[in-house]
């Protein structure tokens, strides 16, 4: 499931993914992010991944890889919220490979992640 969180602003998009993310759900995220990226300003994203199992299909994997090597670099900050071990590992491993400031937050700390991402 994909959901835009009501705490989103013009410069900070907060989203929640849960279950196995399908390509269609990932496309909804990209479609929501696109207008913010077109402004030319750096955008912040908070990914609430609590309850996310992983990818639901190959299309989601393809879209994520394309995003990771393209539009992701237009972000200023990316906060990842969730207790799954792969989230923290991903944040630590990918951090040195990108110019995007990244930070991991435990599940339930969406407000803290929003404050950091927007700061």
């Amino acid at each position: 499931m994909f959901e835009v969180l009501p705490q989103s602003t013009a410069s900070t998009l907060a989203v929640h993914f849960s279950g196995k993310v399908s390509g269609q759900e990932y496309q909804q995220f990209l479609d929501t992010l696109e207008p913010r990226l077109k402004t030319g300003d750096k955008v912040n994203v908070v990914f609430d991944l609590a309850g996310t199992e992983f990818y639901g299909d190959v299309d989601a994997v393809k879209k994520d890889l394309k995003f990771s090597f393209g539009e992701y670099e237009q972000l200023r900050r990316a906060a990842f919220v969730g207790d799954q071990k792969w989230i923290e590992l991903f944040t630590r491993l990918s951090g040195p490979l990108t110019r995007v400031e990244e930070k991991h937050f435990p599940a339930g700390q969406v407000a803290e992640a929003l404050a950091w991402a927007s700061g």
Side-chain angles (χ1 to χ4, degrees):
M1 180 180 103
F2 167 75
E3 168 187 20
V4 176
L5 298 177
Q7 301 94 322
S8 296
T9 66
S11 62
T12 302
L13 176 62
V15 298
H16 176 73
F17 284 102
S18 62
K20 291 186 177 184
V21 179
S22 70
Q24 180 181 3
E25 291 165 330
Y26 204 93
Q27 187 61 52
Q28 289 174 322
F29 159 69
L30 295 173
D31 292 344
T32 304
L33 179 63
E34 184 179 3
R36 288 173 169 84
L37 295 177
K38 286 186 175 182
T39 66
D41 296 330
K42 291 283 187 173
V43 177
N44 307 303
V45 178
V46 174
F47 297 95
D48 180 4
L49 302 173
T52 302
E53 295 175 33
F54 213 58
Y55 301 111
D57 56 37
V58 174
D59 192 35
V61 175
K62 289 179 185 178
K63 289 178 187 305
D64 190 34
L65 286 172
K66 184 178 178 201
F67 172 68
S68 297
F69 291 102
E71 294 95 343
Y72 187 76
E73 285 298 321
Q74 295 178 43
L75 303 182
R76 183 178 76 94
R77 287 186 169 176
F80 299 89
V81 181
D83 287 334
Q84 302 91 318
K85 293 295 180 193
W86 62 266
I87 297 171
E88 186 175 1
L89 179 63
F90 165 79
T91 306
R92 274 195 268 164
L93 293 176
S94 67
L97 304 175
T98 180
R99 292 179 294 213
V100 178
E101 289 182 65
E102 299 173 324
K103 190 170 181 179
H104 171 257
F105 293 84
Q109 291 193 2
V110 173
E112 292 85 350
L114 280 160
W116 175 81
S118 300

